[in-house]
Amino acid sequence: MELPFEVGALYNRQKQIHGVFGGQQQGGISTPKEHPLVIAFTGEAGVSHGYHDFWDDDEVFHYFGEGQVGDMKYVAGNRAIGEHVKDGKTLVVFQMMGKGRPYRYLGRFICQSSYVRPDTPDGKGQPRAAIVFRLRSLEASLGLAASEKDQAEIDAAIDDVGATSTRRETEVRTKQRLFRERLIGIEKGCRLTGIEDLRFLRASHIKPWADSTHSERVDGENGLLLAPHADLLFDRGWISFSSSGRVLVSSALPTAVKNRLGLNLDASLRCGVFSPRQHSFLDFHRDVVFERHQRAANF
């Protein structure tokens, strides 16, 4: 089925999704009558009830079904997801970006199986049985590129084990893809430019890939979504972020370059709130990556 969506791009739900295909305009699962399509929406709705969709270590997306109060039932939208292959329908997933905001297209998925998760809070905070679907992405990427430094370090890691180690190469590239998948569930867009379209962003590790443990390399909280020029500055330590969320600029950054970048690098600029785990990674970035330029500027 041909779809007018590009992975990573943003779309208005009413006009560009339902206006084209129909289907229910409210709720987390939409089943257009006139098209062989099932549309699932993932995002922050479940967080208020104590659960959230997530990627496991095998790159399987665990998607919680619909039903606000009481045990979830295998009917309506839940059945549509679970039976989409048998019904000959395409399953696509969009990410909610916030109330009144556009939706990010994550691409086509296939439902591999489902399970019941007990003691999951419902809309009233009461424990209930939730249906969770195991979804596999059919997309090669999310329209999101690795940062320049990450890619160089990944390529070097692959080269180090020899050209014949295809298994190692697959493992490294899978980890990088999993990192990106988890990152977009935490960071909505570039903190310096406000860009949220993944096609124009890069996934940048806060604590560099080479310095991270295996678990840190796939931790979405060890990352930022940044526009390419902001990514270059952050990766190379020309900028960082303080514990209060302010942008830090190295005194070694040439003034002429700073003035021509088109970025707001004012020291008073607040770039939002970071999670406690992001703060721990930012501590490393400030102390090691950013500080390197600061020391050089003092000589």
Side-chain angles (χ1 to χ4, degrees):
M1 179 180 183
E2 291 295 325
L3 295 170
F5 308 122
E6 188 170 347
V7 176
L10 304 174
Y11 298 91
N12 178 278
R13 177 167 180 171
Q14 278 66 43
K15 295 179 180 179
Q16 295 175 291
I17 302 174
H18 299 299
V20 175
F21 294 101
Q24 301 92 323
Q25 298 191 27
Q26 303 293 327
I29 304 172
S30 183
T31 53
K33 293 181 179 179
E34 304 299 324
H35 300 273
L37 191 65
V38 179
I39 308 172
F41 298 92
T42 180
E44 301 171 346
V47 175
S48 61
H49 302 320
Y51 63 88
H52 61 90
D53 306 332
F54 65 94
W55 294 89
D56 68 22
D57 289 342
D58 295 318
E59 278 195 287
V60 174
F61 188 54
H62 293 240
Y63 179 81
F64 284 75
E66 64 181 2
Q68 295 185 358
V69 179
D71 292 344
M72 291 184 183
K73 307 296 183 182
Y74 196 71
V75 297
N78 290 336
R79 183 206 167 277
I81 288 182
E83 307 290 328
H84 81 94
V85 174
K86 186 175 74 173
D87 295 341
K89 295 187 177 182
T90 298
L91 172 63
V92 298
V93 178
F94 284 85
Q95 180 186 8
M96 305 172 190
M97 303 299 288
K99 188 175 181 180
R101 308 291 302 283
Y103 287 66
R104 179 187 283 153
Y105 180 56
L106 300 185
R108 302 169 188 248
F109 285 69
I110 185 169
C111 180
Q112 296 183 318
S113 63
S114 64
Y115 62 94
V116 175
R117 176 173 164 173
D119 300 322
T120 302
D122 67 9
K124 296 182 178 180
Q126 298 300 310
R128 48 84 173 269
I131 298 173
V132 186
F133 298 96
R134 295 185 180 93
L135 308 183
R136 176 76 68 177
S137 174
L138 299 179
E139 306 297 340
S141 72
L142 295 171
L144 177 65
S147 72
E148 181 183 35
K149 187 174 182 180
D150 270 6
Q151 193 60 58
E153 291 174 346
I154 292 167
D155 291 341
I158 292 171
D159 291 341
D160 284 345
V161 298
T164 59
S165 182
T166 55
R167 179 179 178 182
R168 172 61 175 163
E169 178 176 354
T170 299
E171 288 176 353
V172 171
R173 297 200 185 283
T174 297
K175 283 183 180 293
Q176 177 62 12
R177 194 165 57 243
L178 179 58
F179 165 67
R180 297 182 215 177
E181 291 163 345
R182 288 175 170 169
L183 173 58
I184 65 167
I186 296 168
E187 291 285 296
K188 295 294 181 63
C190 177
R191 289 176 180 257
L192 290 175
T193 65
I195 295 172
E196 296 180 333
D197 189 321
L198 295 182
R199 298 173 299 173
F200 304 96
L201 297 174
R202 288 180 177 172
S204 184
H205 276 88
I206 300 173
K207 183 178 181 180
W209 170 279
D211 299 307
S212 296
T213 64
H214 291 300
S215 61
E216 290 173 340
R217 288 173 177 174
V218 296
D219 188 340
E221 292 193 271
N222 183 19
L224 295 174
L225 292 174
L226 295 170
H229 53 337
D231 167 67
L232 183 147
L233 293 179
F234 184 77
D235 259 3
R236 299 187 182 182
W238 296 107
I239 65 170
S240 191
F241 297 95
S242 73
S243 57
S244 63
R246 296 183 187 276
V247 63
L248 301 174
V249 183
S250 171
S251 55
L253 181 64
T255 302
V257 174
K258 179 180 175 181
N259 292 340
R260 289 172 171 79
L261 280 169
L263 290 172
N264 183 355
L265 298 178
D266 190 292
S268 65
L269 176 66
R270 287 188 179 274
C271 300
V273 177
F274 294 100
S275 72
R277 189 151 176 79
Q278 284 179 311
H279 276 299
S280 69
F281 291 121
L282 282 169
D283 286 343
F284 183 94
H285 187 272
R286 287 194 301 271
D287 294 343
V288 178
V289 184
F290 179 71
E291 185 60 27
R292 184 169 59 245
H293 276 302
Q294 290 295 84
R295 289 195 299 269
N298 292 330
F299 280 107

